[in-house]
Amino acid sequence: YNATARAGIGVQVQGLFQNALDAANARGHDGEFVLAGSESLTVPFDTNGQYLGDATVRSVPSDSAVTAGVTVPGSALTAVNGVDVLPLLSKIATALSTNDMTTLRAALPDLDTAVKQVSSARTQAGSAMNVLDQATQARSVMEQDMTDAISKFVEVDTVSAASELAKASQALEVSRTVSQHIVTVLAPST
């Protein structure tokens, strides 16, 4: 590639950096930032790709005495775990745009590390999604069990109740008739 081609690739890599930054600063359905750790109301990455959140992983109970992590903090994409992935993308985009071959060559090992970090973070995210799916499934089963229990103990099956009432009424009439007959037989004659 010549300098002009590298400059064009640099523009594309800068676009990838911006897309990655936007994805890293994504919010969940609850409005909280997904990768911010416990700082979920603060934008996790600044415009240069520097991480502003913390390394806290939020957990939910997954078994009677075990909890499982259900978030991946953005610190997984920082030098704490290898390299600062987002700033590295920006650095590579700038080096490509300015035809800085020395910086590009020096960034190759870091780029390999960044790929491994992103892969690891994706694996963690997949595991967290699995835990959340299991929790959602357990909640659905519990809701159905609770609905069934409420139905069984609170709601009345009108057909069954009417049938039981008819049987009870019939048994009461039979009891009255028998009682009357017994009283008549045992009553002293006058």
Side-chain angles (χ1 to χ4, degrees):
Y1 293 97
N2 62 27
T4 305
R6 280 190 285 280
I9 295 170
V11 170
Q12 291 177 3
V13 173
Q14 186 61 39
L16 290 174
F17 164 75
Q18 192 58 52
N19 288 342
L21 183 61
D22 291 344
N25 285 332
R27 292 179 185 256
H29 295 292
D30 58 2
E32 295 184 8
F33 290 99
V34 177
L35 296 179
S38 67
E39 304 291 323
S40 62
L41 299 177
T42 304
V43 176
F45 292 91
D46 68 14
T47 57
N48 297 317
Q50 293 298 319
Y51 187 57
L52 306 173
D54 62 26
T56 302
V57 175
R58 291 192 248 166
S59 300
V60 296
S62 64
D63 208 344
S64 60
V66 178
T67 61
V70 293
T71 61
V72 178
S75 61
L77 303 175
T78 67
V80 171
N81 291 299
V83 297
D84 285 318
V85 174
L86 294 175
L88 177 64
L89 276 176
S90 182
K91 178 180 175 181
I92 290 171
T94 301
L96 284 165
S97 296
T98 60
N99 199 32
D100 182 354
M101 296 304 293
T102 304
T103 301
L104 284 173
R105 282 188 197 96
L108 288 177
D110 289 343
L111 190 58
D112 184 52
T113 301
V115 168
K116 290 175 183 170
Q117 274 178 258
V118 170
S119 178
S120 176
R122 287 180 56 140
T123 300
Q124 291 172 357
S127 295
M129 288 175 62
N130 187 35
V131 168
L132 289 172
D133 287 343
Q134 289 174 1
T136 300
Q137 185 177 24
R139 181 192 50 79
S140 294
V141 168
M142 184 183 76
E143 282 179 358
Q144 185 60 48
D145 290 348
M146 294 302 290
T147 300
D148 292 347
I150 289 169
S151 177
K152 179 180 176 183
F153 295 117
V154 174
E155 297 174 3
V156 176
D157 178 7
T158 55
V159 173
S160 177
S163 176
E164 291 298 318
L165 180 61
K167 287 180 188 176
S169 295
Q170 187 178 18
L172 181 60
E173 266 315 302
V174 169
S175 292
R176 261 193 215 146
T177 305
V178 169
S179 295
Q180 226 173 13
H181 184 64
I182 292 174
V183 168
T184 305
V185 170
L186 294 176
S189 306
T190 36

